[in-house]
Amino acid sequence: MEENWRWLELAAVSLTVLVLALKLGMLLWWRPRKIEENFARQGIRGPPYRFFIGNVKELLLVPVVAQSITEMLDKWSVTMTSSGTDAIKIEVSEWFQSLTEDVITRTAFGSSYEDGKAIFGLQAQQMVIAAEAFQKVFIPGYRFLPTKRNIRCWKLDREIRMSFRKLIQRRRMADRMQQGNGAKDLLGLMMEASNQLGVNDIIEECKSFFFAGKQTTSNLLTWTTVLLAMHPQWQVQAREEVLRVCGSRDLPNKDDLVKLKMLSMIINESLRLYPTTIATIRRAKVDAELGGYMIPRGTEILIPILALHHDQAIWGNDVNEFNPARFSEGVARAAKHPVGFIPFGLGVRTCIGQNLAILQTKLTLSILLQRFSFRLAPTYQHAPTVLMFLYSQYGAPIIFQHLSTREMNEGS
Ligand code: HEM
Ligand SMILES: *[C@@H]1O[C@H](CO)[C@@H](O)[C@H](O)[C@H]1NC(C)=O
């Protein structure tokens, strides 16, 4: 009996890994490749799929992100005031999801924020359907059958494409009126390049941007907040740094963020213990040898980021402990292997959203630390789970308490 269960468990795990690999492959490999091919067909070669890198830096990210965070905190304030206390229980995993959605919408659509929000709303519905399907047994070909769920999904897809087309048309008109001084958001940048990039490509780019950015960044924020709530001594140190660098009231600016080293160590340790993307995939383009193994051309290799980050041989005896101090002399010194820490992948295909994700995380946490102290709610259950991304299965209820003026002054 016992053996049977083992076998079943193994089969279930293998199947899950396989499905996960397929899904991740679709997102991280197949999709960008299609765009690359598209470029190649038009005679554009060279830097492989690197459309956003560099471009993102042109955007005025800090004020854009700060606006989303401020709006979130305003909503918390309303609840606090109406309940008449200075402590409030917040389900951060939910709030951070809408925060991240908002940030991505602003960076992607900027001047067309409302339209963008509507489109991403449709896409979020589609993702819920996909996540539901993801939990079920994978049947090849099933997605082509006109089931109720599939029909709903197709409808959403059509609706998304139509809204995009309308939005791009409206933008083109507006641009013409402003004589080429169009908005500097991602959509604007993509449209400037639209002699190379068709409308469908733009749509696909926006979709993967939203998909790849939302769960990853919101989970990073959730895990880091949970870790700081679990380890008050680190929370205190992080707050001292924030208050020293930015004071207690002002919104941190770009230069402040660079100086927050303690916070950067904490975020890295959170990314090490709970890397939201637990694995990535590479396919061998030619026969190759890797660490003594022959890898035939075409072989796909799963790179287990999560396992690497929990390898005692690389991280030492305290591998499972939360110890941001291991990053005190930078990433290279933290691990016994130069690439033992790869939360954003490695090489020409590393994450293009890394800067945005880190910026949003730093800014959010520094603002929270400035204003509140926080601890786990008694109802918190620690259950890291993988459903495409590493997330907290029962959410993350956290109790936030407004810092008194005295506490804030002590820090500065
Ligand atoms: C904490 C946040 C994030 C984590 C941990 C993360 C992690 C990763 C990882 C591990 C990869 C695969 C890299 C590889 O295979 O070498 C990746 C790729 C990618 N990420 Fe992220 N990511 C995050 C945030 C974002 C954001 C905010 C965006 C966009 C707004 C984004 C967009 C992408 C895209 C488009 C790719 C595919 C790049 C390519 O194939 O060239 N990611 N990410
Ligand atoms: C955290 O990791 C990133 C790379 O992911 C690195 O650029 C940064 O310097 C690290 N910060 C610290 C304090 O180790």
Coordinates of all heavy atoms in Angstrom, one line a residue, residues 163-246:
S163 N -9.9 45.5 -27.9 CA -9.6 46.7 -27.1 C -8.2 47.3 -27.4 O -8.0 48.5 -27.4 CB -9.7 46.4 -25.6 OG -10.8 45.6 -25.3
F164 N -7.3 46.4 -27.5 CA -5.9 46.8 -27.9 C -5.9 47.6 -29.2 O -5.3 48.6 -29.3 CB -5.0 45.6 -28.0 CG -4.1 45.3 -26.8 CD1 -4.2 44.2 -26.1 CD2 -3.2 46.3 -26.4 CE1 -3.4 44.0 -25.0 CE2 -2.4 46.1 -25.3 CZ -2.5 44.9 -24.6
R165 N -6.6 47.0 -30.2 CA -6.6 47.6 -31.5 C -7.1 49.0 -31.4 O -6.6 50.0 -31.9 CB -7.4 46.8 -32.5 CG -6.6 45.7 -33.1 CD -7.4 44.8 -34.0 NE -6.8 43.5 -34.1 CZ -5.7 43.4 -34.8 NH1 -5.2 44.4 -35.5 NH2 -5.1 42.2 -34.8
K166 N -8.2 49.2 -30.7 CA -8.9 50.5 -30.5 C -7.9 51.4 -29.8 O -7.8 52.6 -30.2 CB -10.2 50.3 -29.7 CG -11.3 49.9 -30.5 CD -12.6 50.2 -29.8 CE -13.7 49.3 -30.2 NZ -14.5 48.8 -29.1
L167 N -7.3 50.9 -28.7 CA -6.4 51.8 -27.9 C -5.2 52.3 -28.8 O -4.9 53.4 -28.7 CB -5.9 50.9 -26.7 CG -4.7 51.6 -25.9 CD1 -5.1 52.9 -25.3 CD2 -4.4 50.6 -24.8
I168 N -4.7 51.3 -29.6 CA -3.5 51.7 -30.4 C -3.9 52.8 -31.5 O -3.2 53.7 -31.7 CB -2.9 50.5 -31.0 CG1 -2.2 49.7 -29.9 CG2 -1.8 50.9 -32.1 CD1 -1.7 48.3 -30.4
Q169 N -5.1 52.6 -32.0 CA -5.7 53.5 -33.0 C -5.8 54.9 -32.3 O -5.4 55.9 -32.9 CB -7.0 53.1 -33.5 CG -6.9 52.4 -34.8 CD -8.2 51.7 -35.2 OE1 -9.3 52.1 -34.6 NE2 -8.2 50.8 -36.1
R170 N -6.4 54.9 -31.1 CA -6.6 56.2 -30.5 C -5.3 56.9 -30.2 O -5.1 58.1 -30.3 CB -7.3 56.0 -29.1 CG -8.8 56.2 -29.3 CD -9.5 56.5 -27.9 NE -9.2 55.4 -26.9 CZ -10.0 54.3 -26.8 NH1 -11.0 54.1 -27.7 NH2 -9.7 53.4 -25.9
R171 N -4.3 56.1 -29.8 CA -3.0 56.6 -29.5 C -2.3 57.2 -30.8 O -1.7 58.3 -30.7 CB -2.1 55.5 -29.0 CG -2.1 55.4 -27.5 CD -1.6 56.6 -26.8 NE -0.3 56.5 -26.3 CZ 0.1 55.8 -25.3 NH1 -0.7 55.2 -24.5 NH2 1.4 55.8 -24.9
R172 N -2.5 56.5 -31.9 CA -1.9 57.0 -33.1 C -2.5 58.4 -33.5 O -1.8 59.3 -33.9 CB -2.2 56.0 -34.3 CG -1.4 54.7 -34.2 CD -0.9 54.2 -35.5 NE 0.1 53.3 -35.3 CZ 0.0 52.0 -35.4 NH1 -1.2 51.5 -35.8 NH2 1.0 51.1 -35.2
M173 N -3.8 58.5 -33.3 CA -4.4 59.8 -33.6 C -3.9 60.9 -32.7 O -3.5 62.0 -33.1 CB -5.9 59.7 -33.3 CG -6.6 58.7 -34.3 SD -7.8 59.4 -35.3 CE -9.2 59.6 -34.1
A174 N -3.8 60.6 -31.4 CA -3.3 61.5 -30.4 C -1.9 61.9 -30.7 O -1.5 63.1 -30.7 CB -3.4 61.0 -29.0
D175 N -1.1 60.9 -31.1 CA 0.3 61.2 -31.4 C 0.4 62.2 -32.6 O 1.3 63.1 -32.6 CB 1.1 59.9 -31.8 CG 1.5 59.2 -30.5 OD1 1.3 59.7 -29.5 OD2 2.1 58.1 -30.7
R176 N -0.4 61.9 -33.6 CA -0.4 62.8 -34.8 C -0.7 64.2 -34.4 O 0.0 65.1 -34.9 CB -1.4 62.3 -35.8 CG -0.7 62.0 -37.2 CD -1.7 61.2 -38.1 NE -1.6 59.8 -37.9 CZ -2.6 58.9 -38.1 NH1 -3.8 59.4 -38.3 NH2 -2.4 57.7 -38.0
M177 N -1.6 64.4 -33.5 CA -1.9 65.7 -33.1 C -0.8 66.4 -32.3 O -0.5 67.6 -32.4 CB -3.1 65.7 -32.2 CG -4.3 65.1 -32.9 SD -5.9 65.9 -32.7 CE -6.3 65.5 -31.1
Q178 N 0.0 65.6 -31.6 CA 1.1 66.1 -30.8 C 2.4 66.1 -31.6 O 3.5 66.2 -31.1 CB 1.3 65.3 -29.5 CG 0.2 65.6 -28.5 CD 0.1 64.5 -27.5 OE1 0.8 63.5 -27.5 NE2 -0.8 64.7 -26.5
Q179 N 2.3 65.8 -32.9 CA 3.4 65.7 -33.8 C 4.6 64.9 -33.3 O 5.7 65.4 -33.2 CB 3.8 67.2 -34.2 CG 2.9 67.8 -35.2 CD 2.8 69.3 -35.1 OE1 3.5 69.9 -34.3 NE2 2.0 69.9 -36.0
G180 N 4.3 63.7 -33.0 CA 5.4 62.8 -32.7 C 5.9 62.8 -31.3 O 6.8 62.1 -30.9
N181 N 5.4 63.8 -30.5 CA 5.8 63.8 -29.1 C 4.9 63.0 -28.2 O 4.4 63.4 -27.2 CB 5.9 65.3 -28.6 CG 7.0 66.0 -29.1 OD1 8.1 65.5 -29.3 ND2 6.8 67.3 -29.5
G182 N 4.7 61.8 -28.6 CA 3.8 60.9 -27.9 C 4.3 60.5 -26.5 O 5.4 60.9 -26.2
A183 N 3.5 59.8 -25.8 CA 3.8 59.5 -24.4 C 5.0 58.5 -24.3 O 5.1 57.7 -25.2 CB 2.5 58.9 -23.8
K184 N 5.8 58.7 -23.3 CA 6.9 57.9 -23.1 C 6.6 56.7 -22.1 O 7.2 56.6 -21.1 CB 8.1 58.7 -22.5 CG 8.9 59.4 -23.6 CD 10.1 58.6 -24.1 CE 10.9 59.4 -25.1 NZ 10.5 59.1 -26.4
D185 N 5.6 56.0 -22.4 CA 5.4 54.7 -21.7 C 5.7 53.6 -22.6 O 6.1 53.8 -23.7 CB 3.9 54.7 -21.2 CG 2.9 54.9 -22.3 OD1 3.3 54.7 -23.4 OD2 1.8 55.4 -22.0
L186 N 5.6 52.4 -22.1 CA 6.1 51.3 -22.9 C 5.3 51.1 -24.2 O 5.8 50.9 -25.3 CB 6.0 49.9 -22.1 CG 7.1 49.7 -21.2 CD1 6.9 48.5 -20.4 CD2 8.4 49.6 -21.9
L187 N 4.0 51.4 -24.1 CA 3.2 51.3 -25.4 C 3.7 52.3 -26.4 O 3.8 52.0 -27.6 CB 1.7 51.6 -25.0 CG 0.7 51.5 -26.2 CD1 0.7 50.1 -26.8 CD2 -0.7 51.8 -25.7
G188 N 4.0 53.5 -25.9 CA 4.5 54.6 -26.8 C 5.9 54.1 -27.4 O 6.1 54.3 -28.6
L189 N 6.7 53.5 -26.6 CA 8.0 53.1 -27.1 C 7.8 52.0 -28.2 O 8.5 52.0 -29.2 CB 8.9 52.6 -26.0 CG 9.4 53.6 -25.0 CD1 10.0 53.0 -23.7 CD2 10.4 54.5 -25.6
M190 N 6.9 51.1 -27.9 CA 6.7 50.0 -28.8 C 6.1 50.6 -30.1 O 6.4 50.1 -31.2 CB 5.7 49.0 -28.2 CG 6.5 48.1 -27.3 SD 5.5 46.6 -26.9 CE 4.5 47.3 -25.5
M191 N 5.2 51.6 -30.0 CA 4.6 52.1 -31.2 C 5.6 52.9 -32.0 O 5.5 52.9 -33.3 CB 3.4 53.0 -30.8 CG 2.2 52.2 -30.4 SD 0.8 53.1 -29.8 CE 0.5 54.2 -31.2
E192 N 6.6 53.5 -31.4 CA 7.6 54.2 -32.1 C 8.4 53.2 -33.0 O 8.9 53.5 -34.1 CB 8.6 54.8 -31.2 CG 8.3 56.3 -30.8 CD 9.2 56.8 -29.7 OE1 10.4 56.4 -29.7 OE2 8.8 57.7 -29.0
A193 N 8.5 52.0 -32.4 CA 9.2 50.9 -33.2 C 8.2 50.1 -34.0 O 8.6 49.0 -34.5 CB 9.9 50.0 -32.2
S194 N 7.1 50.6 -34.3 CA 6.0 49.8 -34.9 C 6.2 49.6 -36.4 O 5.5 48.8 -37.0 CB 4.6 50.3 -34.6 OG 4.5 51.6 -35.2
N195 N 7.2 50.2 -37.0 CA 7.5 49.8 -38.3 C 8.1 48.4 -38.3 O 8.1 47.7 -39.3 CB 8.4 50.8 -39.1 CG 9.5 51.3 -38.2 OD1 9.5 51.2 -37.0 ND2 10.5 51.9 -38.8
Q196 N 8.7 48.1 -37.1 CA 9.2 46.7 -37.0 C 8.2 45.8 -36.3 O 8.3 44.6 -36.5 CB 10.5 46.7 -36.2 CG 11.6 47.6 -36.8 CD 12.5 48.2 -35.7 OE1 12.7 47.6 -34.6 NE2 13.0 49.4 -35.9
L197 N 7.4 46.4 -35.5 CA 6.6 45.6 -34.6 C 5.1 45.7 -35.0 O 4.6 46.8 -34.9 CB 6.8 46.1 -33.1 CG 6.9 45.1 -32.0 CD1 7.9 44.0 -32.3 CD2 7.2 45.8 -30.7
G198 N 4.5 44.7 -35.4 CA 3.1 44.8 -35.8 C 2.2 44.9 -34.6 O 2.6 44.7 -33.4
V199 N 0.9 45.2 -34.8 CA -0.1 45.3 -33.7 C -0.1 44.0 -32.9 O -0.2 44.1 -31.6 CB -1.5 45.7 -34.2 CG1 -2.5 45.6 -33.1 CG2 -1.4 47.1 -34.8
N200 N -0.1 42.9 -33.6 CA -0.2 41.6 -32.9 C 1.0 41.4 -31.9 O 0.9 40.9 -30.8 CB -0.3 40.5 -33.8 CG -1.8 40.2 -34.2 OD1 -2.7 40.5 -33.4 ND2 -2.0 39.8 -35.4
D201 N 2.2 41.8 -32.4 CA 3.4 41.7 -31.6 C 3.2 42.6 -30.3 O 3.6 42.2 -29.2 CB 4.6 42.1 -32.4 CG 4.9 41.2 -33.5 OD1 4.5 40.0 -33.4 OD2 5.5 41.6 -34.5
I202 N 2.7 43.8 -30.6 CA 2.6 44.7 -29.4 C 1.6 44.1 -28.4 O 1.9 44.1 -27.2 CB 2.1 46.1 -29.9 CG1 3.1 46.8 -30.8 CG2 1.7 47.0 -28.7 CD1 2.7 48.2 -31.2
I203 N 0.5 43.5 -28.9 CA -0.4 42.9 -28.0 C 0.3 41.8 -27.2 O 0.1 41.7 -26.0 CB -1.6 42.3 -28.8 CG1 -2.4 43.5 -29.4 CG2 -2.5 41.5 -27.9 CD1 -3.5 43.1 -30.3
E204 N 1.0 40.9 -27.9 CA 1.6 39.8 -27.3 C 2.7 40.3 -26.2 O 2.8 39.7 -25.1 CB 2.3 38.9 -28.3 CG 1.3 38.1 -29.2 CD 0.3 37.3 -28.4 OE1 0.6 36.8 -27.3 OE2 -0.9 37.3 -28.8
E205 N 3.4 41.3 -26.6 CA 4.4 41.9 -25.6 C 3.7 42.3 -24.4 O 4.2 42.0 -23.3 CB 5.1 43.1 -26.3 CG 6.2 42.7 -27.3 CD 7.4 42.0 -26.6 OE1 8.1 42.6 -25.8 OE2 7.6 40.8 -26.9
C206 N 2.6 43.1 -24.5 CA 1.9 43.6 -23.4 C 1.4 42.5 -22.5 O 1.4 42.5 -21.3 CB 0.8 44.5 -23.8 SG 1.3 46.1 -24.4
K207 N 0.9 41.5 -23.2 CA 0.3 40.3 -22.4 C 1.4 39.6 -21.6 O 1.2 39.3 -20.5 CB -0.4 39.4 -23.4 CG -1.8 39.9 -23.8 CD -2.4 39.0 -24.9 CE -2.9 37.7 -24.4 NZ -3.6 37.0 -25.4
S208 N 2.6 39.4 -22.2 CA 3.6 38.6 -21.5 C 4.2 39.5 -20.4 O 4.5 39.0 -19.3 CB 4.6 38.0 -22.3 OG 5.1 38.9 -23.3
F209 N 4.2 40.8 -20.6 CA 4.7 41.8 -19.6 C 3.8 41.7 -18.4 O 4.3 41.6 -17.3 CB 4.6 43.2 -20.3 CG 5.5 44.2 -19.6 CD1 6.8 44.1 -19.6 CD2 4.9 45.3 -19.0 CE1 7.6 45.1 -19.0 CE2 5.6 46.3 -18.4 CZ 7.0 46.1 -18.4
F210 N 2.6 41.7 -18.6 CA 1.6 41.6 -17.5 C 1.7 40.3 -16.8 O 1.8 40.2 -15.6 CB 0.2 41.8 -18.1 CG -0.9 41.9 -17.1 CD1 -1.0 42.9 -16.2 CD2 -1.8 40.8 -17.0 CE1 -2.1 43.0 -15.3 CE2 -2.8 40.8 -16.0 CZ -2.9 41.9 -15.2
F211 N 1.7 39.2 -17.6 CA 1.7 37.9 -17.0 C 3.0 37.7 -16.2 O 2.9 37.2 -15.1 CB 1.6 36.9 -18.2 CG 1.7 35.5 -17.7 CD1 0.5 34.8 -17.2 CD2 2.9 34.8 -17.7 CE1 0.6 33.5 -16.7 CE2 2.9 33.5 -17.2 CZ 1.8 32.8 -16.8
A212 N 4.2 38.0 -16.8 CA 5.4 37.7 -16.2 C 5.7 38.6 -15.0 O 6.4 38.2 -14.0 CB 6.6 37.8 -17.2
G213 N 5.1 39.8 -15.0 CA 5.4 40.8 -14.0 C 4.5 40.7 -12.7 O 5.0 40.9 -11.6
K214 N 3.3 40.3 -12.9 CA 2.3 40.5 -11.9 C 2.5 39.5 -10.7 O 2.8 40.0 -9.6 CB 0.9 40.3 -12.4 CG -0.1 40.6 -11.4 CD -1.5 40.5 -11.9 CE -2.5 40.0 -10.8 NZ -3.8 39.8 -11.2
Q215 N 2.5 38.3 -10.9 CA 2.6 37.3 -9.8 C 4.0 37.3 -9.2 O 4.2 37.1 -8.0 CB 2.3 35.9 -10.3 CG 0.9 35.7 -10.9 CD -0.2 35.9 -9.9 OE1 0.1 35.8 -8.7 NE2 -1.3 36.3 -10.3
T216 N 5.0 37.5 -10.1 CA 6.4 37.4 -9.6 C 6.6 38.6 -8.6 O 7.1 38.3 -7.4 CB 7.4 37.6 -10.7 OG1 7.0 38.6 -11.6 CG2 7.5 36.3 -11.5
T217 N 6.3 39.8 -9.0 CA 6.6 40.9 -8.1 C 5.8 40.9 -6.9 O 6.2 41.2 -5.8 CB 6.5 42.3 -8.9 OG1 7.2 42.1 -10.2 CG2 7.1 43.4 -8.1
S218 N 4.5 40.6 -7.1 CA 3.6 40.7 -5.9 C 4.0 39.6 -4.9 O 4.0 39.8 -3.7 CB 2.1 40.6 -6.3 OG 1.9 39.3 -6.9
N219 N 4.5 38.4 -5.4 CA 4.9 37.4 -4.4 C 6.2 37.8 -3.7 O 6.4 37.5 -2.6 CB 5.0 36.0 -5.1 CG 3.7 35.4 -5.3 OD1 2.9 35.3 -4.4 ND2 3.4 34.9 -6.5
L220 N 7.1 38.4 -4.5 CA 8.3 38.9 -3.8 C 8.0 39.8 -2.7 O 8.5 39.7 -1.6 CB 9.3 39.5 -4.8 CG 10.5 40.3 -4.2 CD1 11.4 39.3 -3.4 CD2 11.3 41.0 -5.3
L221 N 7.1 40.8 -2.9 CA 6.7 41.7 -1.9 C 6.1 41.0 -0.7 O 6.3 41.3 0.4 CB 5.7 42.7 -2.5 CG 6.2 44.0 -3.0 CD1 5.2 44.8 -3.8 CD2 6.7 44.8 -1.8
T222 N 5.2 40.0 -1.0 CA 4.5 39.3 0.1 C 5.5 38.6 0.9 O 5.5 38.7 2.1 CB 3.5 38.3 -0.5 OG1 2.5 39.1 -1.2 CG2 2.8 37.5 0.6
W223 N 6.4 37.8 0.3 CA 7.4 37.0 1.0 C 8.3 37.9 1.9 O 8.6 37.6 3.0 CB 8.2 36.1 0.1 CG 7.5 34.9 -0.4 CD1 7.3 34.6 -1.7 CD2 6.8 33.9 0.3 NE1 6.6 33.5 -1.9 CE2 6.2 33.0 -0.6 CE3 6.6 33.7 1.7 CZ2 5.5 31.9 -0.2 CZ3 5.9 32.6 2.1 CH2 5.3 31.7 1.1
T224 N 8.7 39.0 1.3 CA 9.6 39.9 2.0 C 8.9 40.5 3.2 O 9.5 40.6 4.3 CB 10.2 41.0 1.1 OG1 10.6 40.4 -0.1 CG2 11.4 41.7 1.8
T225 N 7.7 40.9 3.0 CA 6.9 41.5 4.2 C 6.7 40.4 5.3 O 6.9 40.7 6.5 CB 5.5 42.0 3.7 OG1 5.7 42.8 2.6 CG2 4.8 42.7 4.8
V226 N 6.4 39.2 4.9 CA 6.2 38.1 5.8 C 7.5 37.9 6.6 O 7.6 37.8 7.8 CB 5.8 36.8 5.1 CG1 6.0 35.6 6.0 CG2 4.3 36.9 4.7
L227 N 8.7 37.9 5.9 CA 10.0 37.6 6.5 C 10.3 38.7 7.5 O 10.8 38.5 8.6 CB 11.1 37.5 5.5 CG 11.1 36.1 4.7 CD1 11.9 36.2 3.5 CD2 11.6 35.0 5.7
L228 N 10.0 40.0 7.1 CA 10.3 41.1 8.1 C 9.3 41.0 9.3 O 9.7 41.4 10.4 CB 10.1 42.4 7.3 CG 11.3 42.8 6.4 CD1 11.0 44.1 5.6 CD2 12.6 43.0 7.2
A229 N 8.1 40.5 9.0 CA 7.2 40.4 10.2 C 7.6 39.3 11.1 O 7.5 39.4 12.3 CB 5.8 40.1 9.6
M230 N 8.3 38.2 10.5 CA 8.7 37.1 11.3 C 10.0 37.4 12.1 O 10.3 36.8 13.1 CB 9.1 35.9 10.4 CG 7.9 35.1 10.0 SD 8.5 33.9 8.8 CE 7.1 32.9 8.6
H231 N 10.8 38.4 11.6 CA 12.1 38.7 12.1 C 12.2 40.2 12.5 O 12.8 41.0 11.8 CB 13.2 38.3 11.1 CG 13.2 36.9 10.7 ND1 13.8 35.9 11.5 CD2 12.6 36.3 9.7 CE1 13.6 34.7 10.9 NE2 12.9 34.9 9.8
P232 N 11.6 40.5 13.7 CA 11.5 41.9 14.1 C 12.8 42.6 14.1 O 12.9 43.8 13.8 CB 10.8 41.9 15.4 CG 10.5 40.5 15.7 CD 10.9 39.6 14.6
Q233 N 13.9 41.9 14.5 CA 15.2 42.5 14.6 C 15.7 43.1 13.3 O 16.2 44.2 13.2 CB 16.2 41.6 15.3 CG 16.7 40.4 14.5 CD 15.7 39.3 14.5 OE1 14.5 39.4 14.7 NE2 16.2 38.1 14.3
W234 N 15.4 42.4 12.2 CA 15.7 42.8 10.9 C 14.8 44.0 10.4 O 15.2 44.9 9.7 CB 15.7 41.7 9.8 CG 16.9 40.8 10.0 CD1 16.9 39.6 10.6 CD2 18.2 41.1 9.6 NE1 18.2 39.1 10.6 CE2 19.0 40.0 9.9 CE3 18.8 42.2 8.9 CZ2 20.4 39.9 9.7 CZ3 20.2 42.1 8.7 CH2 21.0 41.0 9.0
Q235 N 13.6 43.9 10.9 CA 12.6 45.0 10.5 C 13.1 46.3 11.2 O 13.1 47.3 10.5 CB 11.2 44.6 11.1 CG 10.1 45.5 10.6 CD 8.8 45.3 11.2 OE1 8.1 46.2 11.6 NE2 8.4 44.0 11.2
V236 N 13.5 46.2 12.4 CA 14.0 47.4 13.1 C 15.2 48.0 12.4 O 15.3 49.2 12.1 CB 14.4 47.1 14.6 CG1 15.2 48.2 15.2 CG2 13.1 46.8 15.4
Q237 N 16.2 47.1 12.0 CA 17.4 47.6 11.3 C 17.0 48.2 9.9 O 17.6 49.2 9.6 CB 18.3 46.4 11.1 CG 19.1 46.0 12.3 CD 20.2 45.0 12.0 OE1 21.1 45.4 11.3 NE2 20.1 43.8 12.4
A238 N 16.1 47.5 9.2 CA 15.7 48.1 7.9 C 15.1 49.4 8.1 O 15.3 50.4 7.3 CB 14.8 47.1 7.2
R239 N 14.2 49.6 9.1 CA 13.5 50.9 9.4 C 14.5 52.0 9.7 O 14.4 53.1 9.2 CB 12.5 50.7 10.5 CG 11.7 52.0 10.8 CD 10.6 51.8 11.7 NE 9.6 50.9 11.2 CZ 9.5 49.6 11.7 NH1 10.2 49.3 12.8 NH2 8.6 48.8 11.2
E240 N 15.5 51.6 10.6 CA 16.5 52.6 10.9 C 17.2 53.1 9.7 O 17.4 54.3 9.6 CB 17.5 52.0 11.9 CG 17.1 52.1 13.3 CD 17.9 51.2 14.3 OE1 19.0 50.7 13.8 OE2 17.5 51.0 15.4
E241 N 17.5 52.2 8.8 CA 18.2 52.7 7.6 C 17.3 53.6 6.7 O 17.7 54.6 6.3 CB 18.6 51.4 6.7 CG 19.3 51.8 5.4 CD 19.6 50.6 4.6 OE1 18.6 49.9 4.1 OE2 20.8 50.3 4.4
V242 N 16.0 53.2 6.6 CA 15.1 54.0 5.8 C 15.0 55.4 6.4 O 15.0 56.4 5.7 CB 13.7 53.3 5.7 CG1 12.7 54.2 5.0 CG2 13.9 52.0 4.9
L243 N 14.8 55.4 7.7 CA 14.6 56.7 8.4 C 15.9 57.6 8.3 O 15.8 58.8 8.1 CB 14.2 56.6 9.8 CG 12.8 55.9 10.0 CD1 12.5 55.7 11.5 CD2 11.7 56.7 9.3
R244 N 17.0 57.0 8.4 CA 18.3 57.7 8.3 C 18.4 58.3 6.9 O 18.8 59.4 6.7 CB 19.4 56.7 8.6 CG 20.8 57.4 8.7 CD 21.8 56.4 9.2 NE 22.1 55.4 8.2 CZ 21.9 54.1 8.4 NH1 21.5 53.7 9.5 NH2 22.2 53.3 7.4
V245 N 18.1 57.5 5.9 CA 18.3 57.9 4.5 C 17.2 58.8 4.0 O 17.5 59.8 3.3 CB 18.5 56.7 3.5 CG1 18.5 57.1 2.1 CG2 19.7 55.9 3.9
C246 N 16.0 58.5 4.3 CA 14.9 59.3 3.7 C 14.1 60.2 4.7 O 13.2 60.9 4.3 CB 13.9 58.4 3.0 SG 14.5 56.9 2.4

